[in-house]
Amino acid sequence: MFDVVIVGSGPAGLGAAIYAKRAMLDAVVIEKAGYSGGQIINTDDVDNYLGLSGISGYDMAMSFREHADKLDVLFKDVEVTNIAEETGGYRLSTSGGDDILTKTVILATGANHSKLNVTGEDKYTGKGVSYCATCDGAFYRGKEVAVIGGGDVALEDALYLSKIASKVYLVHRRDELRGAKSLQDKVFAADNIEFVKDTVVEAINGEIKVTDIDVLNVKSKEACKIKVDGVFIAVGMKPNTEFVNGFVDMDEKGYIKALEDGITSRAGIFVAGDARTKNLRQVITAVADGANCVASVEKYLNLL
Ligand code: NAP
């Protein structure tokens, strides 16, 4: 039986892993994706992590993983499908068929992109529909694209794409953007970004690839088509917590309820990173969560 199983190998999971090794805990990191880093792997620049200004997300993920490897962190490439109580701890069912027994669990499963849930979205994913501007933007050099959403990610995506595409439509369902004022200023200053406000996307159309989107102005009720080659969807994140639904308390969006110590509603189950209820979901807060969770695990194990 492990002391702790860390589910997820993004910044929160790897942060927890190095603290667990240094605390001499018998630990394993479960990595579903087959690579470490979580969401940062798809991030162009991470410019707000102390001491590493301008590092690419990929390089940051590699350096986090190297640090874990130096400490001989044990990794297992499987998906956890269920967690159940077991005498003295928990039993984790996995996609590989083997069960894993552990005294404690740190859930560091992060979050994924939300879908827009409109006609054509699934059909054209990878054929013009993308959830990652920095991954797919280069395919749209000199072309026209739409970014859907009004948060920080949508604004960053629109700015990134404005340097590649000939025209970027920023389509947002309200007349006010949610993203940071500093990003808004840059968006409004860009010549080739058009803010399409009060507008929802009703369908993504195409033949082999995307050709246009059907949009509706929610105030004027006017419907029209916008011709685009690419649609970048940036409408927020969804936590990867379905497999523990009903097992630990969550908020209405599916984030696992916990404070900075990572303690959830169930003894011995902890949560770190973007899957936790928190104000600021960033690499630096995810790493800190991992460290805090291990401190909580140690306290808990001493009480067993
Ligand atoms: P977000 O802040 O939740 O914004 C999501 C946007 O999508 C909102 O504008 C929302 O509209 C819109 N939206 C949601 N569902 C929609 C739907 N069904 N149809 C149309 N529009 C929809 O998410 P995010 O931009 O992905 O950012 C996630 C978190 O990461 C945030 O906390 C953000 O601050 C943080 N972040 C920080 C930085 C940075 O500090 N540099 C960079 C990136 C992200 P409404 O505004 O109408 O709700």
Side-chain angles (χ1 to χ4, degrees):
M1 187 177 258
F2 287 100
D3 290 327
V4 59
V5 171
I6 299 161
V7 188
S9 65
L14 294 181
I18 64 150
Y19 270 73
K21 284 304 278 190
R22 291 171 62 90
M24 315 277 276
L25 296 176
D26 190 10
V28 61
V29 176
I30 308 294
E31 188 171 78
K32 171 177 143 186
Y35 56 82
S36 299
Q39 293 167 62
I40 55 166
I41 209 95
N42 293 325
T43 304
D44 198 26
D45 283 323
V46 182
D47 211 19
N48 52 8
Y49 194 90
L50 185 67
L52 296 176
S53 71
I55 192 170
S56 75
Y58 181 84
D59 287 348
M60 182 177 237
M62 291 306 113
S63 98
F64 286 177
R65 174 65 194 243
E66 266 169 38
H67 192 166
D69 286 341
K70 260 190 204 154
L71 293 175
D72 287 328
V73 170
L74 178 64
F75 286 86
K76 228 178 180 344
D77 284 357
V78 287
E79 178 176 356
V80 175
T81 50
N82 191 49
I83 303 184
E85 284 194 1
E86 174 80 27
T87 312
Y90 293 95
R91 175 182 291 271
L92 276 59
S93 313
T94 70
S95 55
D98 293 337
D99 286 0
I100 301 171
L101 299 180
T102 181
K103 293 174 192 161
T104 68
V105 179
I106 295 177
L107 298 166
T109 47
N112 272 335
H113 302 287
S114 294
K115 284 188 161 190
L116 200 53
N117 292 321
V118 295
T119 309
E121 181 175 9
D122 287 343
K123 185 173 175 189
Y124 293 110
T125 293
K127 297 179 186 122
V129 172
S130 168
Y131 299 84
C132 178
T134 52
C135 317
D136 300 326
F139 299 125
Y140 298 91
R141 189 160 300 282
K143 297 188 172 176
E144 303 205 342
V145 298
V147 173
I148 320 300
D152 284 330
V153 171
L155 302 191
E156 283 187 349
D157 285 0
L159 287 167
Y160 178 80
L161 290 164
S162 71
K163 296 183 188 99
I164 301 168
S166 58
K167 169 101 187 190
V168 179
Y169 295 95
L170 177 62
V171 182
H172 182 39
R173 61 185 177 184
R174 293 187 295 131
D175 60 359
E176 209 177 282
L177 293 166
R178 179 183 292 279
K181 176 78 172 54
S182 55
L183 290 172
Q184 290 192 31
D185 289 346
K186 286 186 192 164
V187 162
F188 292 129
D191 290 339
N192 61 345
I193 301 179
E194 180 177 333
F195 180 33
V196 186
K197 63 183 179 182
D198 296 319
T199 298
V200 293
V201 176
E202 295 204 307
I204 301 171
N205 310 308
E207 286 156 16
I208 295 167
K209 289 185 175 174
V210 167
T211 53
D212 58 85
I213 52 177
D214 290 337
V215 295
L216 174 74
N217 185 303
V218 289
K219 285 195 176 150
S220 69
K221 303 293 174 209
E222 197 183 315
C224 71
K225 276 189 191 299
I226 303 178
K227 273 180 61 115
V228 283
D229 301 294
V231 181
F232 289 84
I233 297 172
V235 294
M237 306 297 293
K238 193 173 174 303
N240 297 318
T241 55
E242 289 89 351
F243 72 108
V244 284
N245 194 359
F247 190 68
V248 285
D249 287 354
M250 295 179 188
D251 72 5
E252 69 289 347
K253 288 184 173 166
Y255 290 101
I256 298 167
K257 287 187 181 172
L259 298 174
E260 204 178 39
D261 55 17
I263 296 172
T264 70
S265 57
R266 194 173 284 264
I269 305 284
F270 303 86
V271 60
D274 282 9
R276 171 169 89 82
T277 50
K278 64 199 293 194
N279 286 330
L280 186 63
R281 294 193 170 85
Q282 300 275 290
V283 179
I284 204 155
T285 63
V287 172
D289 275 6
N292 271 308
C293 266
V294 172
S296 298
V297 164
E298 285 185 273
K299 262 190 209 157
Y300 176 81
L301 290 175
N302 286 337
L303 294 175
L304 283 185

